[in-house]
Amino acid sequence: MRPPAPLLSAAARAAAPAAMLSSPTPTTAGSPQTVHKVGVIDFELDYEPIDGSGAAASSTTTSWPSSSSPSPSPPPLDHSRHLVGSFYYPAAAPSTQRAHRWSPTFYHTRSYVSFASRMSPDHGTALRKAKTLAMAAVSHGVLLAAGIRVSADAGRAAPPLKETGTPFGAVVFSHGLGGSRAAYSAFAAALASAGFGVLAVEHADGTAAVAKLAGTRGFKDYERWQPGGEQLQARGEARRAELAAAARVWRALLLAPSKEGDAEKEREALLGGGRLSLEGGTLPLDFFVGAVDPGSAPAVVGHSFGGALAADAAAGGGANAADADDGKEEKEKDEENDLLFSAAVCLDPWWGALPPGSPAATSSDDRTPSTRRAPLLVLGSDAWNTPNAEGELFCGREQQERVLSSFAQKSSISSSTSSSKNNDNGNNGGALFAVLKGSSHQGFSDVVSLVPALSKLFYGRRRAAAAATRVAEAAAAAAGGKVQEVEEEEEEEESTTTAVTEATDPISTAKAAAEMSAAFLMRRRHEGGSGRVTAEDAAAVVAAARGVGVELRELRVV
């Protein structure tokens, strides 16, 4: 790989924070240093376990069905007490490894293919459904083999690492449209390897390609919808409730058992009387105790749709609803001035997904002090932050600037109710915005790594090799490096997964984003709380980008 290109363009360097430019290789406290083994374990939170007939389930342990079809008509969900997802975490020394599969069942594969073809003119027709099944049948072998190798202990999830002396930070991850709890495994695993416990939510609001529902409820497929209005509001409220539930799950898991039973009562209250269970019957009550820091609120990270909702959560969106039943008076809540999340990272957010009236895009003057904003990091892709012929950004330029200004310590948003105020957002955490040069929107997910093998299935060996090379070149462009072309030899390859790895091994956007996110979140922990975004944060993020050879096209602290 050639030496990394200059980290910033000339224009960006002119506007870059002085602290970042003071050293050619900035080093800051809180930068990720240690690389840990990674474990993954699935979990469920269910408030009313049912079987296929609607009767209460008799089993007290989690079932992980391999069924290829969902329940005929899943009942409405209480999103504040129902949650399914995966934990990615630093693991103790493994005895073995196991696969964490990207598409564990054929039903998942069929749903992914159906989502990918949702824009086809014949979507929903009998012919398209037949094509979807045929493509899923061909693709399933590749998707079944796709995924990451994680630490295991006798075939089960390895226990978390607890002997470090310093507990790890907690993170909640929210996927984008068509995503799932496994669709960002490269990012989540890299963040876990850097020293964070990551709870990856599988949203059951109809935005996932397919979402597993708790217990024996089956699956929920992606639901087509028109952005804006009541449908956007409904999905936003569902995600707000699920993110709040995820924050409470972390709190519940980190409660140390007590002889008086106080922890058990608090855990029951946090879970809304629901039943929390981990894959394989692993007891959840002490699984993460001693491994993850119980003393601070988790951070929230999201991509695309989830990135917008991460900003919403960091601004207190839905927080009042989440605290509605905690028995506290409004005055007490205002005095506490707490947020569910200590910081937020938005990966190439689609700002059009913000619920109407989201506090993430409103002036501080129009809000109560109890809804302050946590520190924010926005990592945008080159593709979504490059103007089109009309000068528009796909991410939503106007809304993006409103969000950044809303989080800034000095707001430039004019208030409709308090125009005489000086807009000093002293209660805000501030924001850091960066664009990864050469990156694409899907580069933050695992999708790019699956393209070469799927291309081989549908387009033949030689055309697949060319497609794999193009994907690798795109990844290399983001990394400031180059990749050796995939050979078009006729000899047998060891496996399709090997070919995928070789084609996309140059530093991926997901890996770079994880390193930069870890640096930002480490700074928050180093500061002993949420802290405010400063030039030192920019320096830490730049150092992380430089460490993986990534060039930034734009960087600013607001």
Side-chain angles (χ1 to χ4, degrees):
M1 181 179 290
R2 67 169 182 261
L7 188 63
L8 298 176
S9 64
R13 286 179 64 85
M20 184 198 65
L21 300 177
S22 61
S23 169
T25 54
T27 56
T28 60
S31 297
Q33 305 251 348
T34 306
V35 177
H36 301 286
K37 299 292 185 181
V38 176
V40 181
I41 189 168
D42 293 330
F43 76 92
E44 292 184 355
L45 171 64
D46 197 6
Y47 58 95
E48 188 178 331
I50 61 170
D51 60 22
S53 64
S58 59
S59 173
T60 58
T61 59
T62 302
S63 172
W64 301 94
S66 57
S67 171
S68 61
S69 60
S71 299
S73 180
L77 293 175
D78 179 350
H79 293 277
S80 67
R81 297 190 296 150
H82 172 279
L83 202 65
V84 172
S86 299
F87 287 104
Y88 298 75
Y89 54 90
S95 57
T96 58
Q97 285 192 327
R98 66 170 185 164
H100 181 63
R101 303 194 184 285
W102 204 82
S103 183
T105 69
F106 180 76
Y107 189 79
H108 284 84
T109 300
R110 195 224 66 173
S111 298
Y112 290 138
V113 174
S114 178
F115 174 79
S117 64
R118 72 194 185 283
M119 300 305 292
S120 301
D122 61 347
H123 185 82
T125 65
L127 178 60
R128 171 50 58 184
K129 291 179 180 178
K131 290 180 179 179
T132 296
L133 284 175
M135 293 177 69
V138 175
S139 305
H140 186 54
V142 171
L143 296 184
L144 188 64
I148 57 174
R149 303 292 299 177
V150 297
S151 297
D153 184 10
R156 300 175 63 176
L161 183 61
K162 298 184 179 183
E163 284 75 36
T164 63
T166 303
F168 303 115
V171 171
V172 171
F173 184 85
S174 178
H175 62 72
L177 284 179
S180 68
R181 67 184 184 273
Y184 297 83
S185 60
F187 175 88
L191 198 56
S193 179
F196 290 89
V198 182
L199 186 164
V201 177
E202 188 154 271
H203 290 290
D205 61 339
T207 60
V210 56
K212 185 194 178 301
L213 303 181
T216 56
R217 296 173 188 267
F219 298 89
K220 185 178 181 66
D221 282 332
Y222 177 81
E223 296 176 348
R224 301 187 75 179
W225 58 289
Q226 295 296 323
E230 294 182 359
Q231 290 184 325
L232 178 61
Q233 183 72 40
R235 281 160 176 77
E237 292 303 328
R239 285 208 174 206
R240 282 173 167 174
E242 290 173 343
L243 291 176
R248 293 195 301 271
V249 165
W250 263 130
R251 289 174 58 189
L253 281 172
L254 301 180
L255 290 172
S258 63
K259 293 182 179 179
E260 294 77 15
D262 294 339
E264 287 70 22
K265 293 178 182 178
E266 185 177 354
R267 182 180 295 108
E268 183 177 358
L270 286 169
L271 300 179
R275 179 177 58 87
L276 180 64
S277 50
L278 297 185
E279 173 189 1
T282 304
L283 293 177
L285 301 186
D286 61 354
F287 192 73
F288 287 110
V289 172
V292 178
D293 184 6
S296 60
V300 58
V301 181
H303 174 244
S304 194
F305 196 115
L309 268 294
D312 176 77
N320 290 337
D323 291 337
D325 298 324
D326 64 5
K328 296 178 182 178
E329 298 291 337
E330 283 300 318
K331 182 178 179 181
E332 291 181 272
K333 294 176 187 177
D334 288 350
E335 289 175 349
E336 283 184 354
N337 200 20
D338 281 340
L339 288 172
L340 286 173
F341 298 100
S342 59
V345 177
C346 306
L347 307 177
D348 213 20
W350 173 40
W351 296 118
L354 279 176
S358 169
T362 58
S363 168
S364 288
D365 295 336
D366 295 330
R367 300 165 62 200
T368 63
S370 63
T371 49
R372 65 181 175 86
R373 302 165 186 81
L376 179 74
L377 171 64
V378 178
L379 299 179
S381 73
D382 209 339
W384 274 30
N385 287 274
T386 297
N388 60 17
E390 290 75 35
E392 309 249 339
L393 301 182
F394 198 85
C395 66
R397 183 198 299 272
E398 182 178 347
Q399 191 77 315
Q400 179 160 273
E401 292 306 317
R402 287 186 64 83
V403 170
L404 292 175
S405 184
S406 178
F407 277 79
Q409 294 169 47
K410 289 284 186 178
S411 176
S412 62
I413 297 179
S414 60
S415 170
S416 59
T417 61
S418 319
S419 58
S420 62
K421 294 186 179 182
N422 63 6
N423 287 332
D424 182 2
N425 296 343
N427 211 23
N428 283 349
L432 176 61
F433 176 75
V435 175
L436 283 67
K437 186 175 181 181
S439 58
S440 68
H441 182 67
Q442 292 299 341
F444 293 90
S445 72
D446 294 351
V447 170
V448 171
S449 67
L450 298 174
V451 170
L454 292 175
S455 296
K456 181 175 298 184
L457 286 175
F458 293 108
Y459 301 115
R461 184 185 183 85
R462 291 183 177 276
R463 290 175 63 188
T469 298
R470 286 195 297 273
V471 171
E473 286 173 346
K482 62 182 180 179
V483 62
Q484 182 177 353
E485 290 191 0
V486 177
E487 296 295 335
E488 299 183 15
E489 299 175 357
E490 294 300 322
E491 64 187 49
E492 279 292 324
E493 295 153 2
E494 292 184 7
S495 68
T496 54
T497 52
T498 301
V500 172
T501 302
E502 291 171 352
T504 60
D505 198 42
I507 304 302
S508 67
T509 301
K511 171 67 173 175
E515 293 292 330
M516 297 166 73
S517 300
F520 180 79
L521 297 178
M522 285 289 188
R523 283 279 306 165
R524 309 273 69 73
R525 304 197 68 213
H526 177 70
E527 294 296 325
S530 59
R532 289 192 181 187
V533 176
T534 66
E536 285 72 22
D537 290 297
V541 169
V542 167
R546 189 187 300 276
V548 292
V550 169
E551 181 179 354
L552 301 183
R553 198 196 73 192
E554 184 177 352
L555 178 72
R556 51 184 163 130
V557 175
V558 295

